[in-house]
Amino acid sequence: MRRLYPVAGANDSAGLETPLGLADAYAYPERGAGPYLRANMVSSLDGAAWYDGRSAPLSSEADMRVFGVLRALADVVLVGAETVRLEGYRPARAREVFAARRAADGQTPAAAVAVISRGLDLDFTTPLFTAPVTPTLVLTGASPPADRVAAARAAGAHVVVAGDGEGVDPVRAVRELAALGHTRLLHEGGPRVLAQFAAAGTLDELCLTVAPVLGGGDAPRIMHGPDVPGPARLVPRSVLEEDGFLFTRYVRA
């Protein structure tokens, strides 16, 4: 990263050009504080969460560096089924530069991916299920189709019931993941699912990349669902900049 615009309590820019230095800047709170849910999203200047149906046109090389570091810090990555289908999701990869750090912290070599899906309408032949470093999880409601549960389990996925109704309850999802030892949580959307988690009061931090582009169109915002009570107030933690992209970090007030 080329510049850091400090806010109260922020670190200086030393070391941010290295993966481990960037990881220090984005470190999670100590585990004793309980589960901590961070979201990572990208938006155009006019508020679009994607362009032409995908987030990739809004990204950059620097954005992908931050994306990779946030995954390397997490125990589990939460993502909605629609985003998995649209973005062609793959499993998180193990990175040698973070291997010692993750091992010392008792983490698996790579974060697990937890797909949020009420109907389990997923392609279990994709690498997300057939070739993960850490087995993929599927978070679902109380009554998913039995044949789809069987298909998920046959593919090696761990099916986690995280709701009493058809869908996933965000509060219960966080609790069930914590019970599995996953307390450093990273949410990657999409907009509808992230809005549900924010409205339920489970979101502790938002990392938002603001791309220096205008998209127009009818793309949703990064949260497109129920109102967040309040509205909820977040506190800025840091702002980084590279090539006109802003990498903002806000935490719960």
Side-chain angles (χ1 to χ4, degrees):
M1 293 298 181
R2 294 177 183 170
R3 304 189 188 106
L4 170 65
Y5 298 96
V7 295
N11 297 322
D12 62 27
S13 59
L16 288 172
E17 64 278 0
T18 69
L20 292 179
L22 196 57
D24 289 339
Y26 280 94
Y28 277 88
E30 293 297 325
R31 288 192 184 274
Y36 188 91
L37 178 62
R38 162 187 286 165
N40 184 36
M41 300 291 284
V42 62
S43 168
S44 66
L45 284 174
D46 53 322
W50 59 57
Y51 184 81
D52 196 25
R54 299 177 65 244
S55 62
L58 303 180
S59 186
S60 69
E61 189 275 334
D63 181 51
M64 294 310 298
R65 290 207 310 271
V66 172
F67 174 88
V69 166
L70 295 185
R71 280 193 162 200
L73 293 172
D75 297 330
V76 64
V77 177
L78 288 78
V79 60
E82 183 176 6
T83 298
V84 167
R85 291 187 288 266
L86 289 174
E87 302 279 357
Y89 251 61
R90 300 182 65 85
R93 62 188 181 93
R95 297 176 60 186
E96 183 62 32
V97 68
F98 293 105
R101 186 178 187 134
R102 290 186 66 89
D105 198 37
Q107 292 178 296
T108 55
V113 174
V115 183
I116 302 164
S117 176
R118 80 171 58 187
L120 278 64
D121 183 18
L122 300 162
D123 184 354
F124 295 115
T125 68
T126 63
L128 180 60
F129 297 98
T130 62
V133 175
T134 304
T136 296
L137 308 172
V138 179
L139 302 178
T140 191
S143 302
D147 62 326
R148 301 308 296 162
V149 172
R153 289 174 173 161
H158 182 185
V159 179
V160 179
V161 174
D164 295 326
E166 290 185 357
V168 169
D169 171 16
V171 174
R172 182 169 171 184
V174 170
R175 185 172 67 244
E176 296 289 346
L177 290 171
L180 294 172
H182 302 312
T183 59
R184 294 176 179 174
L185 315 175
L186 176 63
H187 204 304
E188 294 181 350
R192 180 182 58 81
V193 178
L194 181 56
Q196 293 170 357
F197 275 73
T202 62
L203 186 64
D204 297 295
E205 179 179 324
L206 173 63
C207 295
L208 175 63
T209 298
V210 181
V213 298
L214 298 173
D218 58 357
R221 297 173 298 162
I222 63 164
M223 293 186 191
H224 188 73
D227 289 342
V228 177
R233 180 67 182 267
L234 301 183
V235 176
R237 177 61 60 85
S238 65
V239 181
L240 309 175
E241 183 273 340
E242 183 170 306
D243 293 336
F245 286 78
L246 297 181
F247 303 91
T248 70
R249 183 183 179 196
Y250 291 85
V251 298
R252 189 197 297 264

